[in-house]
Amino acid sequence: MTSLKKFLKKKKYTRVQLVLTSTNHFEIIAKLNGVKGRFILDTGASNTCVGFDKLEFFNLSSKESKIKAAGAGATNMETLISTKNRIKLGAWKIKKLRIVLFDLGHVNEALTAHNALPVDGIIGADILKKAKAIIDYDKRYVYLKKSK
């Protein structure tokens, strides 16, 4: 029987290591606009997000948004939108990514309260869908389909 790794490699997928945190979240390292950061991989998040405090760190330009963010116990949060960003997860990359910016303070407070490190952002379903992602929970990898 062929392993998942070998099968997906033939299908032009690349794999990226995931780290399981003490809070049972998967963390992934990504390069956003050429800057390395720590992100939570969140299949339930509709969009990829970055904290307001990381606007300059990731060289993001932003504009006002009418979208209200909700998640992790917080609702109706103000957001900004940043367009035309580049992201790289392992060997997989995309240009022209739209990112939602909002206050991730409540997320990072919850993480640090459980002895986990704070994160710079969240990788959401927008990227996972584009990349036709497959998550190997047991081996702790996400597989992303290389673009043509």
Side-chain angles (χ1 to χ4, degrees):
M1 179 187 245
T2 303
S3 72
L4 181 62
K5 177 183 170 183
K6 288 179 184 176
F7 175 78
L8 291 175
K9 188 173 182 178
K10 287 180 188 175
K11 299 285 184 185
K12 305 277 191 259
Y13 277 80
T14 184
R15 73 181 187 158
V16 182
Q17 180 78 53
L18 300 171
V19 175
L20 188 63
T21 68
S22 60
T23 58
N24 225 18
H25 290 95
F26 278 123
E27 272 185 11
I28 188 168
I29 300 298
K31 272 192 172 180
L32 179 57
N33 297 328
V35 181
K36 193 181 286 189
R38 178 185 293 109
F39 293 78
I40 289 176
L41 186 74
D42 188 349
T43 60
S46 53
N47 295 291
T48 294
C49 308
V50 170
F52 283 142
D53 61 328
K54 299 297 179 176
L55 189 70
E56 290 179 17
F57 181 73
F58 287 118
N59 305 307
L60 300 167
S61 59
S62 63
K63 58 185 175 186
E64 289 185 23
S65 168
K66 293 179 183 174
I67 297 170
K68 299 289 184 189
T75 59
N76 211 27
M77 295 180 289
E78 296 295 323
T79 64
L80 296 173
I81 297 292
S82 179
T83 56
K84 300 179 184 171
N85 297 290
R86 302 176 327 276
I87 196 162
K88 188 173 182 192
L89 302 162
W92 185 89
K93 59 187 171 185
I94 191 169
K95 297 176 183 174
K96 298 183 182 178
L97 176 67
R98 184 182 87 137
I99 293 175
V100 175
L101 290 106
F102 71 102
D103 183 1
L104 284 177
H106 65 288
V107 172
N108 283 324
E109 281 178 27
L111 291 171
T112 56
H114 290 91
N115 300 317
L117 294 171
V119 294
D120 300 311
I122 298 165
I123 300 297
D126 55 342
I127 286 180
L128 299 174
K129 284 171 43 180
K130 275 183 185 152
K132 299 180 180 175
I134 297 169
I135 301 170
D136 184 340
Y137 289 91
D138 184 48
K139 300 264 194 300
R140 299 181 184 165
Y141 285 100
V142 62
Y143 292 85
L144 307 166
K145 179 107 174 160
K146 292 181 186 174
S147 37
K148 297 174 184 175

